[in-house]
Amino acid sequence: MSVTMRYREAWEGFWREAPQDTGAVFWDADPKVTAALHLALFEPYVADADLPLVDLGCGNGTQTRFLADRFPRVVGVDLAAAALDHARRADPAGRARYLLLDAAEQGAAAALHTELGDSHVYMRGVLHQCEPADRQPLADGIAALLGERGRVFLVEPSEAAGSVLGGLAQAPAGPPPKLAPIFRHGIAPGEVPDAAVPAHLEAAGLTVLASGELPLTTTESTPDGTPIELPSKWLVAGRTT
């Protein structure tokens, strides 16, 4: 069984089991505290606002639907069919389009680029969940989707998030309810060095145009009711020549 196949099956199992309710998944935060904040950082670098936007790793589509109100054409893609089932049920009006796609699979992103043309990409917390062997192919897939004019906004938990997640996982009462299914399905976040994220994009032929730090809001809280936020780093990248 390939690395990608193991990864896909883990996510299929997770999304088949996940509740449909908004906010029931660990990272399914309100777009007001996720995508809206990210767009404020992204939009100054989006010269071609008429391009499609691909929400890569869209999951149940919460952020996708928000983005569909702000870009003329939005496509949510995920490698788990069960995730896309959630997204379509939550979007009966069809504000966005949802496609099954593994962007780390050779040629898959290029084929979508052939259909859409140059596109912007929004990706939140996907790279660190990939198997190490899939990280550079995923970055290459992002570059293929962007083409010459697109820009990517990418946000990933930083190295510092590892200690936060480790502490939650090793709590005496066990991990919080919304975090437990992630570990149970074998898709616990991996450790990606902060410097590796821009390095993957640069190896794919992209230039980092802006970067910074921002807490990544989750839907879970500590026992005393404090919302759990993960330290994260964001960047904007694209081709400059």
Side-chain angles (χ1 to χ4, degrees):
M1 183 182 294
S2 70
V3 169
T4 299
M5 183 60 71
R6 289 196 300 271
Y7 181 61
R8 180 184 292 115
E9 290 186 354
W11 278 108
E12 287 287 1
F14 173 85
W15 282 112
R16 282 196 297 268
E17 185 180 290
Q20 183 72 26
D21 301 340
T22 300
V25 172
F26 183 69
W27 54 81
D28 191 29
D30 190 313
K32 293 178 182 177
V33 296
T34 48
L37 301 182
H38 299 153
L39 276 185
L41 299 168
F42 188 31
E43 287 176 334
Y45 299 92
V46 176
D48 296 295
D50 59 329
L51 296 183
L53 181 135
V54 176
D55 183 6
L56 203 164
C58 69
N60 62 359
T62 298
Q63 312 306 317
T64 319
R65 295 188 297 277
F66 175 86
L67 294 166
D69 291 335
R70 287 150 181 84
F71 287 85
R73 185 180 182 190
V74 172
V75 181
V77 303
D78 204 282
L79 55 67
L84 298 176
D85 288 342
H86 278 267
R88 292 186 182 108
R89 285 196 296 269
D91 188 11
R95 292 153 65 187
R97 178 185 175 199
Y98 303 95
L99 292 176
L100 188 68
L101 179 83
D102 179 358
E105 183 178 340
Q106 186 174 5
L112 184 57
H113 178 268
T114 298
E115 177 187 344
L116 298 178
D118 289 1
S119 302
H120 301 304
V121 171
Y122 175 75
M123 191 174 85
R124 183 174 65 107
V126 175
L127 191 69
H128 79 285
Q129 294 170 337
C130 290
E131 297 282 358
D134 283 338
R135 290 171 189 159
Q136 188 57 51
L138 175 60
D140 295 340
I142 291 171
L145 290 168
L146 299 187
E148 297 300 320
R149 297 186 295 152
R151 295 287 185 263
V152 57
F153 182 90
L154 180 154
V155 59
E156 294 287 334
S158 66
E159 291 179 45
S163 60
V164 177
L165 289 168
L168 293 171
Q170 296 169 19
K178 294 178 185 178
L179 186 59
I182 299 173
F183 293 111
R184 185 169 66 251
H185 285 281
I187 49 176
E191 295 184 1
V192 181
D194 292 342
V197 178
H200 281 305
L201 294 180
E202 289 165 0
L206 303 177
T207 299
V208 175
L209 305 172
S211 62
E213 299 183 4
L214 190 71
L216 192 62
T217 302
T218 76
T219 62
E220 190 60 276
S221 300
T222 60
D224 66 4
T226 303
I228 294 173
E229 295 182 333
L230 302 179
S232 75
K233 292 184 178 291
W234 61 267
L235 57 81
V236 177
R239 289 190 172 87
T240 56
T241 57

